[in-house]
Amino acid sequence: MRTPALVPRLRPFTSTIFAEMTALATRTGAVNLGQGFPDTDGPAEMLATAQRAIADGINQYPPGPGRPELRQAIAEHRRRYGTEYDPDTQVLVTVGATEAIAASLLALVEPGDEVVLIEPYYDSYAASVALAGATRTVVSLVEDGDRFALDVDALRAAVTPRTKALLLNSPHNPSGTVFTRQEMEEVARICQEHDLIAITDEVYEHLIFDGREHVTLSALPGMADRTLAISSSGKTFNSTGWKIGWVCGPAELVGAVRAAKQFLTFVGGAPFQPAVAYALRNEMAWVDQLRDDLQRKRDRLSAGLSDAGFGVRQAAGTYFVCADVRPLGFADGAELCRQLPERIGVAGVPVQVFTDHPDQWQHLVRFAFCKRDDVIDEAIARLRKLG
């Protein structure tokens, strides 16, 4: 039997490490700091709104672009960045940000086109580029002290006449870095000089620490007409299982994304859409508290990792902190992650699985701090046994 053509195209981008770590954590009873989702729910009234929507019969297909009240709430929400979107033509509701990214690439790039990714990158990016038949070009972040910085010169050098799009994630998973305004302005300059489409993954837009700002590329001069800004409710409102995402941008680009999206999932999450609309309009104070709580959890886990002997990198946002395993005498984060569940009962994820150049990143392990304090404390106690 012939192997379907799509399988070898995707195989290089489908890491088994998550399944492997989850299975090990389950079998050994390990504290799982590898999984990037919270263990508490979102705002109570948001949950109640979803329950009422189900009870009121909002259980059938919603409109293709998303329910009107959610599209309007998304447009209102994006005004905080100084951007204006027509909810009828410039906002599209998707099944999470992952679908928004995949549909954007399927709609806008073709075989022979190149897409620039910043590594380490969220694992769906490379797969989505492959599904579109395009070629990815990778630019590595650079370690600048305890921060991961954007190498603007390398980014500029990576652009060729075949480059069609740049996919940018800030706040950044898995590194936890947040790109500065100066870095984003340089990205905007490169996009305009080379007529690139920018696709921005902003799902952690509200989970930024220490008073830093979220700079959305779409709000910078000259970028509104060439940027698709993507976000979701999952990280903002602790509702990752609802899979309610969105993409905002110029009508022509959003229309193309909608054309691709309708043949992927068609629509989704009907009763959750009114609840997310409610939350965007009424629960941002809850989100501020979530951010402050996560900053405290970041500090808690970072201090514990440092005490255990890891070299801890700065986490300016997201759910994640990266730790250097070399001070503990290890050279390979993947090998350590395979040992951790049985050795001390903790699970993490090696950063090298998110890259095209694993040798450059094999000293780092990603740990998630979006967990209850008692879970973090237990993980820290176990990690101290490594020393």
Side-chain angles (χ1 to χ4, degrees):
M1 178 177 173
R2 293 177 59 189
T3 302
L6 189 59
V7 173
R9 188 190 300 175
L10 287 180
R11 186 179 293 121
F13 320 122
T14 308
S15 171
T16 62
I17 193 72
F18 294 105
E20 185 179 348
M21 292 301 101
T22 299
L24 276 171
T26 300
R27 179 165 58 82
T28 61
V31 178
N32 196 340
L33 298 188
Q35 294 177 320
F37 57 84
D39 53 12
T40 56
D41 284 333
E45 187 56 32
M46 180 189 76
L47 304 180
T49 301
Q51 292 169 340
R52 286 194 295 271
I54 293 171
D56 290 345
I58 303 178
N59 301 302
Q60 309 308 322
Y61 296 137
R67 288 182 62 88
E69 68 267 39
L70 177 55
R71 286 184 280 117
Q72 181 64 48
I74 292 165
E76 293 168 3
H77 184 259
R78 295 296 296 187
R79 287 176 187 153
R80 66 182 54 229
Y81 304 122
T83 52
E84 289 284 343
Y85 295 105
D86 180 345
D88 293 328
T89 62
Q90 297 181 310
V91 178
L92 173 67
V93 177
T94 59
V95 180
T98 301
E99 187 197 37
I101 292 163
S104 296
L105 290 166
L106 288 168
L108 300 173
V109 303
E110 300 176 348
D113 290 338
E114 295 177 357
V115 179
V116 177
L117 308 181
I118 307 300
E119 75 166 3
Y121 51 73
Y122 179 58
D123 53 355
S124 82
Y125 295 174
S128 296
V129 173
L131 283 167
T135 301
R136 75 181 181 280
T137 301
V138 174
V139 175
S140 294
L141 295 177
V142 293
E143 293 193 65
D144 182 11
D146 66 350
R147 176 180 183 265
F148 297 96
L150 185 64
D151 188 337
V152 174
D153 292 337
L155 177 59
R156 188 179 300 277
V159 177
T160 76
R162 294 182 298 277
T163 306
K164 182 71 171 291
L166 165 69
L167 175 50
L168 190 72
N169 172 216
S170 180
H172 184 267
N173 174 19
S175 75
T177 201
V178 174
F179 295 138
T180 65
R181 179 169 291 275
Q182 182 179 3
E183 288 171 326
M184 297 296 275
E185 288 172 347
E186 290 295 331
V187 172
R189 187 171 294 110
I190 291 169
C191 288
Q192 292 174 73
E193 288 174 356
H194 296 277
D195 194 24
L196 304 183
I197 296 169
I199 303 169
T200 59
D201 178 354
E202 304 179 32
V203 296
Y204 294 100
E205 61 185 302
H206 297 294
L207 307 185
I208 296 178
F209 312 131
D210 306 311
R212 293 177 176 86
E213 66 171 337
H214 173 61
V215 180
T216 177
L217 206 57
S218 59
L220 297 182
M223 291 304 296
D225 291 339
R226 65 175 67 249
T227 302
L228 289 171
I230 292 169
S231 193
S232 77
S233 68
K235 307 303 190 299
T236 301
F237 298 113
N238 279 13
S239 57
T240 60
W242 288 11
K243 298 299 291 180
I244 301 296
W246 50 84
V247 54
C248 302
E252 182 180 8
L253 297 185
V254 171
V257 177
R258 180 184 174 188
K261 180 259 189 301
Q262 69 180 331
F263 296 113
L264 296 175
T265 61
F266 184 48
V267 293
F272 301 129
Q273 293 189 26
V276 174
Y278 163 83
L280 285 170
R281 287 175 167 145
N282 298 283
E283 296 289 359
M284 294 312 296
W286 182 94
V287 176
D288 290 342
Q289 181 59 51
L290 172 67
R291 179 202 62 222
D292 293 345
D293 193 39
L294 284 169
Q295 179 174 317
R296 181 183 55 77
K297 291 176 183 290
R298 174 207 61 178
D299 294 344
R300 193 184 200 102
L301 180 57
S302 295
L305 289 168
S306 181
D307 289 345
F310 289 91
V312 180
R313 302 298 187 261
Q314 177 191 103
T318 76
Y319 286 162
F320 308 110
V321 61
C322 290
D324 189 339
V325 305
R326 292 174 297 185
L328 287 166
F330 298 95
D332 187 341
E335 181 58 33
L336 177 60
C337 285
R338 288 187 173 94
Q339 294 179 21
L340 284 177
E342 292 188 346
R343 185 170 172 178
I344 61 168
V346 175
V349 176
V351 173
Q352 66 205 69
V353 304
F354 300 103
T355 78
D356 287 8
H357 303 96
D359 290 349
Q360 298 177 21
W361 298 92
Q362 66 179 8
H363 59 291
L364 294 169
V365 173
R366 188 194 79 174
F367 294 102
F369 51 81
C370 52
K371 309 297 180 182
R372 299 190 315 272
D373 288 350
D374 63 298
V375 174
I376 294 172
D377 290 345
E378 180 60 27
I380 291 169
R382 297 182 184 190
L383 286 165
R384 288 195 178 109
K385 298 175 184 177
L386 283 174

